Amino acid sequence: MRFIDQIPIRVRISFGLVVLMASTLLLARPVSTLFMPAELSFFADGRHEVMVGRKQLCESLAIASTAMISKENMSALEATLIAIEARQAQVLSIGFRRSSGELLVEVGPHQQTWKANERSTIDQIKVPVYKRDKVWGSLEIAFVPSGGFLGSLWGPLWLLCFMVPICGFQFAFFLRRTLDQLDPSKAIPGHVRAVLDRFAEGLLIIDGRQRILFANKPLATALNTDADALKGVYLKELPWTLPNDGPQSLPWVDAAESGMSVCDRMVHTNIDGRKLSFSVNCSVVQGQGVLVTFDDVTMLEENKVELARARDSAEQANEAKSAFLANMSHEIRTPLNAVLGFTDVLRRGLISNNNEVEDHLNMIHRSGAHLLELINDILDLSKIEAGRMQVESIETRIDHVVYDTADVLEVRAREKGIELQVDFESAIPETIKSDPTRLRQIIMNLVGNAIKFTEQGGVSIVTRLVRDASSPALQINVIDTGIGMTEQQQEKIFESFTQADSTTTRKFGGTGLGLSISRRLAEAMGGSLSVSSQPGSGSTFTVTLPFDKSELRQFVSPDEVKRRAACRNDAAAKAEITRLPAKPVLVVDDGEANRRLIELVLTRAGAEVTCVENGLEAIKALSERDYALVYMDMQMPVL
């Protein structure tokens, strides 16, 4: 295609006007300069203008076809060509042909009107269509005959010999100013712009100076701007960012310099500060500039980040559970070895006096209680994570819960040589609606931890009423003088299977479940559990339980709480073992150890006990005798 034909008709007319105006100002120039634009065909005749207009239409269609072929959208290409043929009276037919010769799209009687020819003429124009950096096919357009070839006598040689030497230096400045003022949107016909605006992907067409000639609406919407505002803007002025892990040069610059298609990833920062990620594909359009398509992959990038976080979290959780299993193996085997070992000592009679028997039995009892505590923690956690943990809301005596817990753990504190104190700093309601069992479990975990990590000093359970205008609450603080924790340790101690330090398990034991379970139980009851600590200065765990204002009717003073606790201790010391009436009791359990233990306890309490192994035997026993009580296991064989 000749060089002069590549210059749009509007640019040629504008350039001619510049030449005319400048020549008028420069009176010293020869008079012939005034007529130079006409002599050099810048004021084109009608036939040449038709030729240039047709080529401009074909090149615009080639740009649209390149974008559609890049996305393999043949249906959209065919619809576009049909619309062009229907709207342009000068078009007889349009065909789209593969490089192999296969005619893929035919609009109108193309096979009858098209005559195979290597060169384009004014009546039939053939434009190559590129896919990436290779010619993929060609667009063939047959027009209404124009009547000859006259009017195309001025070629590129005349332009080079006369126009460039005479007017190039004289009007370079005026030419540059004029080109800058041209409207770049006129380079793309309106009907082609309408088709490109329907694309799902963003699309830009830039010239050789990286100035935007066209931007479709999807891209403008993604960039949070208006498509008209992007026209004429230099692409380098937009806030683009290159990814750190890729080439550090703009892809459209690489495409223009190499003449090949370039794919890359870019990040754009919108006016509102949001960062958008685009997959960018740049294709060179010969004689026009660069066609750039933008595929918004922001959600994919964000999902990749979220997936990476989820993967890391899952890996950390898996590592924590693996460490938990290792700790549990140690935690379970230690008390189990004690149970089996001291039991074997008693069986063999390897004892010297009754004091040793009592010590061995106490050790067996403590080890068994520790095993039960471990199993209960695991079961509670499994219930919580399965959403099956239920809490009650019944009348609860807070002072009873606190003192009961202290009584149970006082022996453990005394064994370590530390003091366990209970203090009520303010009057408290007589009762509140709560779950006494779960509250006792929370306080038991907190006080047990405090005793475990305290070597000197003591542990205090401090209870107070916090009056609030909207919702009153009870606050129970467990304060110790133990080893304390850093801020980093405080952030993770409420996580499951986690302890403040990896050496904690080896030195103090435990599963790392108690605090996690306690916080979840507190939240299930509508409250909260928090911690405040300093390394070497001890820790304070705070349980906050809100309750309704209607429960602030009757209060108990701190002195009254202490008096009641003392009375309860005296009553417990004087209490006799409960006796059962001598009535028949049926015990149904498939475990021999359970049957023997229950039979022993109930018999010594005064009951007449009969034992069977399963539900079928229980029915038979009930048919033979009337029992005052049936004590039955929940799961058994047979029935």
Side-chain angles (χ1 to χ4, degrees), residues 233-267:
V233 176
Y234 288 93
L235 200 54
K236 62 183 180 182
E237 297 177 0
L238 298 179
W240 294 105
T241 305
L242 289 163
N244 296 328
D245 56 351
Q248 297 304 302
S249 58
L250 299 174
W252 40 83
V253 176
D254 292 344
E257 292 177 352
S258 64
M260 302 175 64
S261 296
V262 176
C263 298
D264 206 343
R265 185 167 57 88
M266 302 286 292
V267 178

Side-chain angles (χ1 to χ4, degrees), residues 335 338-339 342-343 346 354-370 411 415:
V339 171
F342 284 105
T343 302
L346 294 175
N354 291 334
N355 290 334
E356 284 191 3
V357 173
E358 184 178 356
D359 289 341
H360 295 346
L361 291 175
N362 288 335
M363 184 61 71
I364 293 173
H365 182 270
R366 285 196 299 270
S367 299
H370 182 53
V411 176
E415 289 175 350

Side-chain angles (χ1 to χ4, degrees), residues 377-559:
D377 282 348
I378 297 172
L379 293 178
D380 283 343
L381 181 66
S382 66
K383 287 182 181 179
I384 291 172
E385 293 189 342
R388 298 176 59 187
M389 176 63 74
Q390 297 180 350
V391 295
E392 294 182 307
S393 181
I394 60 177
E395 297 291 338
T396 302
R397 297 282 299 269
I398 298 297
D399 55 332
H400 286 186
V401 174
V402 172
Y403 273 109
D404 287 347
T405 305
D407 291 341
V408 172
L409 296 175
E410 187 175 7
V411 176
R412 191 186 302 179
R414 200 162 44 240
E415 289 175 350
K416 289 197 67 175
I418 61 176
E419 187 177 2
L420 177 59
Q421 294 181 340
V422 177
D423 186 17
F424 285 80
E425 292 187 346
S426 66
I428 61 172
E430 181 78 24
T431 60
I432 65 169
K433 290 290 184 64
S434 185
D435 188 329
T437 302
R438 296 305 177 187
L439 179 58
R440 184 179 290 106
Q441 183 178 355
I442 294 173
I443 301 175
M444 188 82 71
N445 280 334
L446 297 180
V447 177
N449 267 356
I451 294 173
K452 179 167 62 174
F453 294 108
T454 301
E455 300 294 338
Q456 295 180 349
V459 177
S460 299
I461 308 174
V462 180
T463 306
R464 66 168 65 94
L465 175 64
V466 179
R467 294 181 178 270
D468 187 89
S470 58
S471 176
L474 273 175
Q475 195 176 83
I476 304 173
N477 295 317
V478 178
I479 307 169
D480 66 66
T481 58
I483 60 177
M485 291 176 288
T486 64
E487 292 184 3
Q488 292 77 12
Q489 291 171 336
Q490 294 176 50
E491 291 175 357
K492 64 180 183 179
I493 59 171
F494 292 109
E495 298 176 6
S496 299
F497 314 111
T498 303
Q499 292 187 331
D501 194 299
S502 59
T503 60
T504 300
T505 299
R506 294 192 296 271
K507 183 176 181 180
F508 297 99
T511 62
L513 294 177
L515 292 178
S516 174
I517 293 172
S518 297
R519 168 171 276 187
R520 298 192 193 189
L521 289 177
E523 292 172 350
M525 291 188 293
S528 63
L529 173 59
S530 59
V531 64
S532 174
S533 181
Q534 292 290 335
S537 300
S539 305
T540 299
F541 287 86
T542 301
V543 182
T544 303
L545 294 176
F547 56 90
D548 193 80
K549 287 183 178 180
S550 60
E551 300 176 65
L552 295 175
R553 295 186 301 269
Q554 187 174 357
F555 289 88
V556 182
S557 67
D559 293 337

Side-chain angles (χ1 to χ4, degrees), residues 145-194:
S146 60
F149 59 92
L150 297 177
S152 301
L153 299 178
W154 294 99
L157 181 61
W158 290 99
L159 182 63
L160 293 174
C161 294
F162 291 95
M163 189 62 200
V164 176
I166 296 175
C167 298
F169 296 102
Q170 183 178 4
F171 304 114
F173 176 76
F174 299 101
L175 174 62
R176 185 58 177 263
R177 292 287 301 272
T178 302
L179 291 177
D180 287 340
Q181 297 300 321
L182 291 177
D183 184 2
S185 64
K186 302 302 182 182
I188 309 297
H191 53 274
V192 177
R193 292 199 300 270

Side-chain angles (χ1 to χ4, degrees), residues 110-128:
H110 189 68
Q111 296 189 18
Q112 290 76 23
T113 58
W114 181 261
K115 297 178 181 179
N117 193 357
E118 293 296 329
R119 299 175 59 85
S120 297
T121 66
I122 192 172
D123 296 332
Q124 59 178 32
I125 298 177
K126 180 179 180 181
V127 185

